[in-house]
Amino acid sequence: MSLISKIRCAFTLGQGVLIENEALKTTKDPISFFNSWLKQAQDTGIVLPESMSISTCTAEGRPSSRMVLLKEVDSKGFVFFTNYDSRKAHELETNPFAALLFHWNILQRQVRIEGRIERISFEQSNAYFQSRGRGSRIGAWASHQSQELDDRESLVQRVKYFEEKFAGKEIPLPEFWGGYRVIPDNIEFWQGKADRLHDRFVYQPLDKNWTVKRLNP
């Protein structure tokens, strides 16, 4: 066995039984399963374990990916926030499906999520927006996300403009900014193993419940 394989074995020692018990016997709810993995990732001390890649597609099927932060997860789905005029938002409005990917390398784990997209309510978006730092709220107003920028100074000047405009005032939620929810119809848990004989379990909805199956590595 190579050194890399030994390291992977050390990282995942005993986790094969754990994932099988969770996926097939104990945890029939993939959201609960996901939350347990996210908590374990947080406990490792890695930076931003809530980071996830989100992939969207144009109407013609051309994909693009970028990293965002998961801000909420519950039985309804996975929530993130963005500018509604951004590239990803335009693609989601045209083709309302997305794929998410979490990768926690130190645990040799991935979670893949696929599903349709919906906007969350104004009230939910506003509640999160008001919880952000003042600088981040100003930044949301100042940035024409994904659009061409002549130079950095233009952005700096817009920031100054909104700092003056909202000086001493509450900063309202921009109409062009808010949250999306990914409503999952496929959630796959991947546990790395030595010799690439990984464990993979996929959850898919059936009526009001979930089915779970083991996949070949």
Side-chain angles (χ1 to χ4, degrees), residues 88-103:
K88 64 176 138 344
H90 282 300
E91 290 180 356
L92 289 171
E93 296 295 332
T94 302
N95 188 347
F97 297 91
L100 307 177
L101 173 63
F102 294 86
H103 179 218

Side-chain angles (χ1 to χ4, degrees), residues 44-122:
T44 68
I46 60 176
V47 177
L48 297 177
E50 68 274 24
S51 298
M52 60 185 187
S53 168
I54 177 168
S55 298
T56 58
C57 281
T58 63
E60 295 74 31
R62 181 167 181 165
S64 61
S65 300
R66 75 288 288 160
M67 300 300 294
V68 299
L69 297 179
L70 175 70
K71 289 300 181 180
E72 180 183 329
V73 56
D74 57 23
S75 60
K76 296 179 182 178
F78 299 76
V79 174
F80 67 95
F81 292 85
T82 190
N83 186 311
Y84 288 142
D85 288 329
S86 66
R87 176 181 174 181
K88 64 176 138 344
H90 282 300
E91 290 180 356
L92 289 171
E93 296 295 332
T94 302
N95 188 347
F97 297 91
L100 307 177
L101 173 63
F102 294 86
H103 179 218
W104 301 305
N105 186 55
I106 194 169
L107 296 172
Q108 284 290 293
R109 286 177 174 175
Q110 297 184 81
V111 182
R112 300 170 60 193
I113 298 154
E114 300 167 23
R116 64 182 178 86
I117 284 281
E118 68 176 14
R119 288 195 187 191
I120 65 174
S121 69
F122 170 87

Side-chain angles (χ1 to χ4, degrees), residues 10 24 38 48 58 64 68 75 81 157 163 166 176 184 199 212:
L24 298 181
L38 178 60
L48 297 177
T58 63
S64 61
V68 299
S75 60
F81 292 85
Q157 289 304 315
E163 285 176 339
F166 296 126
F176 54 80
D199 281 336
V212 56

Side-chain angles (χ1 to χ4, degrees), residues 138-189:
I138 291 290
W141 276 95
S143 175
H144 302 161
Q145 191 173 355
S146 299
Q147 298 181 30
E148 184 177 353
L149 179 63
D150 291 335
D151 52 47
R152 180 78 183 181
E153 184 59 25
S154 299
L155 178 61
V156 170
Q157 289 304 315
R158 287 204 300 269
V159 169
K160 289 181 179 178
Y161 169 80
F162 285 109
E163 285 176 339
E164 294 173 2
K165 179 176 181 177
F166 296 126
K169 304 176 184 177
E170 284 298 311
I171 303 173
L173 173 69
E175 64 180 12
F176 54 80
W177 197 96
Y180 282 108
R181 177 182 289 109
V182 179
I183 303 169
D185 55 31
N186 197 89
I187 305 178
E188 180 189 320
F189 294 85

